[in-house]
Amino acid sequence: MARRSTSSSTGRPTGNPSGPRNRTPQPVRVRRRTFGDFVKAFLAFVALLGLVVGVPGALAMTVGWPLPHSAPTMDWLSQPIGVDTFLNTLTVIVWLAWAQFTACVLVEVKAAVSGVGLPGRVPGAGPSQLLARQLVAALLLVGATAASLTPGLSQLGHSMEGNQKGTVAAAQATPGLFAQQQEQAKSTAAALAEQAGHAAAQAQADHGSTAAAHGATKYYRIQPPEGRHHDSLWEIAQRHLGDGRRYKEIYELNKDRIQPDGSRLSEASLIRPGWIMEMPGDAHGGELVENPDAHVSPEVQQQIGDYARTGDHAQQQQQHQQQGGQHAGEDGATAQISVPSQRQTGEAGAHAQENSGHTASGPSAGSSFGLSEALLGAPLLAAGLLAALGRRRRQALWQSALGALGGRRGMEPPTPTGDAQDVQDALLVGADPEGVRLLDRALRGLAAALTAESRSLPVVYAAWLSHGDLHLQLAQPAGKPPAPWQLGQDQTFWTLSRADADRYEDTDTAAPYPGLVSLGTMDDSRLLLNLEAVPGIVSLSGREADRAAVFSSVAAELATNGWSDRMTITLVGFGADLTPLAPNRLRHLDDVDALFEAMEAETRQRRGALGAAGHDSVLTGRTGPAQHTRWAPNLVLLAAQPSAEDALRLAELAADAARLGIGYLVGTESADLPGAAWAMEITPDGKLLAPLLGLELEAQLLPAVQQRAVVELFVEADPERDPDGPTNAPPFLVDISEQGRPAVYARLVGPYEIIGLGTPDGDRSALLHEALALLLLHREGVHPRVLSSALWPRGVTEDVRDALLERLRAWLGTDPDGSPRLRADATGRLVLAKSVVSDLDVLRSLYYEATQGKGADSRAVRGRLLTDALVLVRGPLLADRAEGRYRWLTHEIIDAQLPLLVADIGLALSAFHLEKDRAEKAIEALGAALKTAPADERLWNELLRATHATGDPDRVRALATELVTRSGARGLPPRTEALLDELLPTWREGAAATG
């Protein structure tokens, strides 16, 4: 079969050319042969001629026959070794080396010319065969088409182990990555199959008979690489079927059939030169052959004949399955990464069912008042943003605790409204903190296991998350993974099941792959691309607004994800307003000139640091004794297309970036950015396409409206923002007089109790109590989808959720005027009536009234209100909650607010008593507050002052001893030490005696 011509290898459609632009794969850019290519080919020819012909000729002329002319005797062993003997021995070694190298040349030439399978391995000829391969490739380069810098990704894992070092080499042989997932789209596949059936029927009608009736089934043989371009099923379908998306038909026709080299097709992206593909009946083009076909060699005819018989066997096996038979065949268990959505047994199947339930309560639920679908479909991004927002709010609370007593702005964070409220709800619904935790522990556990085995981290291009299972795709084979990891469908896939991931514990190991970032989903599988490992630039084309949504999503997830330690995200030309998300990670530069100035310096610095440390790449620095250095990545996101000159300069800068832990994602208006290793396109309908990678995802986006709302949440929570601003009142103030007695009273501070309601149905009591607690902690209202995701974090159907709400309404009942105590507000959020009150509401109202209401002007009123407030404190929030429930509290800041509030009440009441020299009363108040806030340093310091006011130095000394014992190896806080020096100068002597 003839080699593919240049025109046919471009991947231009031969069928209907009028399809939508986002569905058409980008053509391969053809590079004409240069003078340098001819020079390289000539030098390779001279080298081969000298090594294959020149070496034996020179040996024959200069040394002659090196072996003895007669059989040696025993006396030969006692003869002295002269110069001739040494030269003859050396000549024999050279002859053997020449023979081995010549065999390597013959093997490589045969494989390159025939295109059947991979080159054979000559025993013991690793370096020799590599040299022969390079020389043969250089010689044949002038006869093949050189493709673009965009690598074909269909040959993952099939290069010789250990022969791919350096970023440039990796860029030329970047392995296959994404096409194996596309066969999972069942509905799309069905539509395409129907379309293919109509096309085949039409073709049969035109010819008057089917191909099968004439025995003329069409076949295609996978072509060897041409330059940097590798054949792929997408391009084959594009050339011969008119639509690259029909590659799935080719895959289904040839799946699991034995190929000429003895292997099988199990993944749509993993095809090898020399393999034979049966084609659909309407395939066309000059590269196809029919069976029988007299225009091909007898060897190829034999291969096609043997392959055709496997097709008949496969069809019989498929019919047997349709009739209810069991799957028979040695390869019945296919690699799990290929079709993660089809795993319906064991734990993965359970997770699939849970996820399907979650979908039922997802976009369709409550669609009359929408949440951001972009954030609902981005669980890892949402979890990172939610965790970062919680840390920011807690930081504001603790910084506020250092301010003056009473009326502090940070005690009650502002309640978001409008778009910010919708985005916060979307984060609560969409976040998957458990998935982030498992991903982080699994990656760190892998790094720790490799360190224990004295192995370096493999280069990981991408990760797939599917129903909790994690699949890592390696750049090249890296041996057997450490347990509990397992090999996937080939040597370049490492897989960890959800059950095994659950066994990992937290470890103090550097994050091995901090550059992983979500790009989107394909069916039930989520793709994370490792930006710092890409051998060059990742380009993104499409409309400016669509590109901006991708860039914002990538930047936000990198800035807040939970599987990284330290990193720098350099934003160029966009994202100045994103810096509040993570000021320590995000760096904004105005233009490309500033980027070159910064990155050229950093590139030089990293090269020098790696060389001084003796590391090949940052990955070797993340395991072993040097892992404390972390080698944090720097990921550059350039939204604006660079000029032609800047693009070339950027390509040079990125040539060695992967080894240095630097990644580049660059926006472009067209798909031909120089130096782009991987080219992607974002379409107006939210599809992320990379045809040459076999990639079509539902893109993960952060549109402009949601981006502004997210930033608003972080800005409002900033502890440095307007610290002297107006005081925020509690979200819900209750009438604390006798006339304000509520109809329903819930005790949340301490053991959970409800007064005023009957006991609900026993089987659902816990769920109803939990739902009521969530509503009581959010008097501003709770979105129904937030409520359902909190109670059922793994998903629930709408009917189950609605049934719970009806039971909750019935349990709470109605007020005397007939209005329900649970209703929906104008936005559709669930709110409780004012007649339903919790002790936390009363606690906040009492403190607010004592410090900023009536108690501010009346000492007697203030003392009474503060005393009443402290009496309400019976322990921590929901002290007796069942294990495994109330997990949504991890997203709340009430666990930080309540101890601070109780401490403030205790401090205020202590100051109230000390004004009248009632030291014992002050000590009593502080002791009560310490039961709920034992770690608050302010309470201990005030307790020291109150104890000193008793005039008993022994009590002060005993308290100092207790504080020293409690502090342990950390030692006392500086402020406490200074206070003890003032109140009890001899306290250190007692501490030394205690120690």
Side-chain angles (χ1 to χ4, degrees):
M1 179 174 167
R3 293 177 65 87
R4 181 165 78 243
S5 65
T6 302
S7 61
S8 64
S9 66
T10 63
R12 296 189 181 277
T14 56
N16 181 14
S18 63
R21 177 175 177 269
N22 61 309
R23 295 296 186 183
T24 304
Q26 298 296 323
V28 177
R29 298 184 294 270
V30 178
R31 181 177 66 84
R32 296 182 178 276
R33 295 186 294 274
T34 64
F35 176 74
D37 294 334
F38 287 99
V39 171
K40 292 178 182 178
F42 175 74
L43 294 177
F45 174 75
V46 172
L48 285 172
L49 187 65
L51 291 173
V52 176
V53 180
V55 169
L59 290 175
M61 294 178 60
T62 58
V63 180
W65 182 257
L67 299 177
H69 294 282
S70 60
T73 62
M74 294 300 296
D75 296 337
W76 180 77
L77 297 176
S78 61
Q79 294 179 359
I81 299 176
V83 176
D84 291 341
T85 303
F86 177 78
L87 290 176
N88 288 339
T89 303
L90 183 61
T91 302
V92 171
I93 295 174
V94 174
W95 272 106
L96 293 175
W98 169 85
Q100 185 187 57
F101 178 77
T102 302
C104 293
V105 172
L106 295 176
V107 167
E108 294 296 329
V109 169
K110 178 180 181 298
V113 172
S114 67
V116 178
L118 295 174
R121 298 289 297 274
V122 178
S128 298
Q129 190 164 3
L130 177 61
L131 175 61
R133 179 174 301 170
Q134 293 173 341
L135 293 175
V136 171
L139 180 61
L140 297 180
L141 180 64
V142 297
T145 301
S148 68
L149 287 174
T150 305
L153 300 187
S154 60
Q155 301 301 321
L156 174 63
H158 301 308
S159 58
M160 292 181 60
E161 295 84 354
N163 291 343
Q164 293 189 8
K165 285 189 176 182
T167 307
V168 176
Q172 296 176 356
T174 308
L177 189 53
F178 305 107
Q180 70 270 19
Q181 299 292 335
Q182 295 188 0
E183 64 271 23
Q184 301 167 12
K186 296 181 180 179
S187 60
T188 303
L192 292 175
E194 182 179 359
Q195 175 186 353
H198 291 318
Q202 183 64 38
Q204 292 166 4
D206 293 342
H207 290 84
S209 61
T210 64
H214 289 82
T217 305
K218 298 175 183 178
Y219 294 89
Y220 176 86
R221 193 168 64 171
I222 305 300
Q223 297 299 298
E226 296 182 356
R228 298 187 182 95
H229 175 68
H230 297 259
D231 219 345
S232 69
L233 292 186
W234 180 288
E235 292 188 353
I236 296 170
Q238 184 65 54
R239 290 195 304 272
H240 300 296
L241 299 176
D243 188 347
R245 294 170 297 178
R246 294 185 61 188
Y247 80 93
K248 300 168 187 172
E249 300 173 44
I250 305 176
Y251 172 74
E252 292 298 332
L253 283 173
N254 298 275
K255 182 174 64 175
D256 293 331
R257 295 170 63 176
I258 300 177
Q259 294 291 336
D261 60 1
S263 56
R264 299 172 186 262
L265 173 66
S266 60
E267 303 302 329
S269 65
L270 302 180
I271 59 176
R272 304 182 185 180
W275 279 9
I276 296 171
M277 296 288 118
E278 182 178 339
M279 301 293 289
D282 61 331
H284 52 80
E287 297 174 328
L288 302 177
V289 295
E290 297 181 352
N291 184 31
D293 192 332
H295 300 288
V296 297
S297 65
E299 178 185 5
V300 174
Q301 289 187 35
Q302 180 65 36
Q303 291 176 353
I304 293 177
D306 295 340
Y307 189 73
R309 285 190 289 274
T310 67
D312 295 338
H313 175 69
Q315 292 172 4
Q316 294 172 3
Q317 200 172 49
Q318 182 178 5
Q319 293 172 359
H320 183 61
Q321 291 176 359
Q322 293 173 350
Q323 295 169 359
Q326 299 295 326
H327 178 77
E330 56 187 273
D331 289 342
T334 58
Q336 299 299 327
I337 189 173
S338 59
V339 200
S341 62
Q342 295 180 2
R343 295 182 59 191
Q344 297 298 325
T345 59
E347 185 171 354
H351 284 290
Q353 295 171 2
E354 291 164 357
N355 284 350
S356 65
H358 187 71
T359 302
S361 66
S364 63
S367 57
S368 59
F369 42 95
L371 299 181
S372 169
E373 298 296 336
L375 291 173
L376 291 177
L380 304 184
L381 169 61
L385 288 172
L386 201 59
L389 183 60
R391 290 192 298 269
R392 183 69 54 83
R393 287 173 171 170
R394 286 179 173 85
Q395 182 184 6
L397 285 174
W398 285 108
Q399 289 193 14
S400 175
L402 302 178
L405 291 180
R408 294 197 306 271
R409 180 180 184 275
M411 179 55 70
E412 300 295 344
T415 301
T417 58
D419 290 337
Q421 186 179 22
D422 289 339
V423 161
Q424 178 173 273
D425 288 340
L427 293 177
L428 290 168
V429 175
D432 182 15
E434 182 67 13
V436 171
R437 185 183 68 85
L438 288 176
L439 176 62
D440 181 47
R441 285 185 173 183
L443 295 177
R444 293 181 193 268
L446 174 63
L450 291 172
T451 299
E453 298 178 5
S454 299
R455 297 168 61 185
S456 60
L457 289 167
V459 177
V460 169
Y461 279 139
W464 287 95
L465 282 173
S466 179
H467 305 307
D469 295 346
L470 175 60
H471 312 270
L472 298 182
Q473 184 153 8
L474 314 184
Q476 59 187 29
K480 183 179 180 181
W485 290 79
Q486 298 178 354
L487 287 174
Q489 70 264 28
D490 61 31
Q491 296 288 324
T492 59
F493 282 84
W494 286 5
T495 300
L496 181 70
S497 69
R498 171 66 181 264
D500 291 331
D502 284 332
R503 299 207 302 263
Y504 274 116
E505 301 292 339
D506 292 328
T507 178
D508 186 23
T509 301
Y513 304 111
L516 285 170
V517 64
S518 304
L519 290 185
T521 58
M522 183 177 294
D523 294 335
D524 295 324
S525 298
R526 181 169 303 277
L527 170 68
L528 290 88
L529 180 67
N530 190 6
L531 280 180
E532 69 167 334
V534 177
I537 297 172
V538 179
S539 69
L540 177 67
S541 61
R543 299 187 311 181
E544 184 177 1
D546 299 324
R547 297 201 314 264
V550 175
F551 273 100
S552 296
S553 170
V554 170
E557 183 170 301
L558 289 173
T560 60
N561 72 46
W563 54 88
S564 303
D565 295 320
R566 294 185 302 112
M567 70 168 61
T568 300
I569 303 106
T570 302
L571 311 180
V572 186
F574 85 107
D577 56 341
L578 287 174
T579 51
L581 272 59
N584 295 329
R585 283 192 181 186
L586 289 169
R587 174 178 64 170
H588 178 261
L589 301 178
D590 293 329
D591 51 35
V592 177
D593 292 336
L595 172 66
F596 285 132
E597 181 180 355
M599 296 311 299
E600 286 174 351
E602 181 164 348
T603 299
R604 289 193 300 268
Q605 180 182 4
R606 291 197 174 215
R607 284 197 184 113
L610 282 177
H615 296 311
D616 295 332
S617 71
V618 295
L619 289 180
T620 58
R622 291 179 187 156
T623 55
Q627 64 172 308
H628 64 278
T629 59
R630 305 294 180 177
W631 298 104
N634 189 340
L635 305 175
V636 178
L637 308 182
L638 175 57
Q641 177 170 346
S643 64
E645 180 181 354
D646 288 339
L648 293 175
R649 187 177 176 186
L650 191 63
E652 294 177 0
L653 193 62
D656 197 26
R659 186 177 69 91
L660 305 176
I662 302 175
Y664 291 89
L665 176 62
V666 180
T668 175
E669 297 176 359
S670 59
D672 54 351
L673 183 71
W678 294 347
M680 297 185 294
E681 176 190 1
I682 179 66
T683 67
D685 60 348
K687 299 289 186 180
L688 190 65
L689 307 177
L692 295 182
L693 306 181
L695 172 65
E696 182 175 348
L697 299 174
E698 292 290 338
Q700 179 172 295
L701 307 172
L702 185 59
V705 173
Q706 283 74 39
Q707 175 192 325
R708 288 192 295 267
V710 166
V711 172
E712 179 183 341
L713 289 173
F714 278 80
V715 170
E716 289 294 328
D718 188 354
E720 303 297 332
R721 179 177 181 267
D722 194 13
D724 299 325
T727 300
N728 293 320
F732 179 67
L733 291 172
V734 301
D735 184 357
I736 56 178
S737 66
E738 282 295 326
Q739 292 75 22
R741 184 179 298 274
V744 178
Y745 183 67
R747 292 178 175 176
L748 304 179
V749 183
Y752 192 0
E753 299 177 15
I754 297 179
I755 301 172
L757 290 178
T759 302
D761 179 44
D763 294 336
R764 300 185 177 95
S765 176
L767 203 59
L768 291 172
H769 277 74
E770 185 174 357
L772 179 57
L774 177 61
L775 291 167
L776 286 168
L777 292 177
H778 290 277
R779 302 305 301 235
E780 73 278 8
V782 177
H783 197 293
R785 295 171 70 176
V786 173
L787 179 67
S788 62
S789 65
L791 300 180
W792 296 282
R794 292 187 175 181
V796 66
T797 55
E798 290 184 50
D799 58 337
V800 174
R801 182 201 64 193
D802 294 341
L804 172 78
L805 293 179
E806 288 302 319
R807 281 191 290 269
L808 186 59
R809 288 190 181 96
W811 181 41
L812 291 174
T814 59
D815 284 332
D817 61 0
S819 59
R821 291 172 181 155
L822 177 63
R823 61 181 183 273
D825 64 9
T827 66
R829 288 173 171 82
L830 301 170
V831 293
L832 292 172
K834 292 184 178 181
S835 58
V836 183
V837 173
S838 73
D839 56 354
L840 185 60
D841 297 326
V842 177
L843 188 67
R844 285 168 167 164
S845 299
L846 288 170
Y847 179 67
Y848 180 81
E849 193 68 25
T851 56
Q852 300 178 55
K854 297 178 181 179
D857 300 323
S858 172
R859 171 181 168 79
V861 173
R862 181 169 69 254
R864 177 174 56 82
L865 293 175
L866 291 173
T867 302
D868 291 345
L870 201 56
V871 169
L872 290 177
V873 180
R874 302 175 301 128
L877 186 75
L878 299 168
D880 58 351
R881 61 179 179 265
E883 184 178 358
R885 304 205 69 90
Y886 298 87
R887 293 183 179 179
W888 46 269
L889 281 173
T890 59
H891 301 316
E892 307 284 343
I893 61 170
I894 185 61
D895 60 335
Q897 282 180 302
L898 179 59
L900 286 176
L901 177 59
V902 173
D904 284 348
I905 295 172
L907 291 169
L909 189 55
S910 172
F912 172 81
H913 288 305
L914 288 177
E915 289 177 0
K916 296 297 183 179
D917 295 327
R918 295 196 291 262
E920 294 297 339
K921 289 287 187 180
I923 292 173
E924 181 182 352
L926 294 169
L930 280 169
K931 293 179 181 179
T932 301
D936 198 311
E937 180 189 355
R938 300 171 302 154
L939 289 175
W940 290 105
N941 291 348
E942 193 65 18
L943 185 59
L944 280 171
R945 293 188 181 95
T947 306
H948 181 265
T950 63
D952 187 349
D954 291 337
R955 291 181 66 178
V956 179
R957 189 173 294 107
L959 181 57
T961 301
E962 181 183 354
L963 284 173
V964 171
T965 303
R966 287 176 58 89
S967 62
R970 295 175 301 172
L972 290 174
R975 294 185 181 184
T976 304
E977 281 193 6
L979 180 60
L980 280 173
D981 288 337
E982 173 66 24
L983 302 179
L984 188 67
T986 61
W987 72 274
R988 298 180 189 274
E989 298 175 5
T994 302

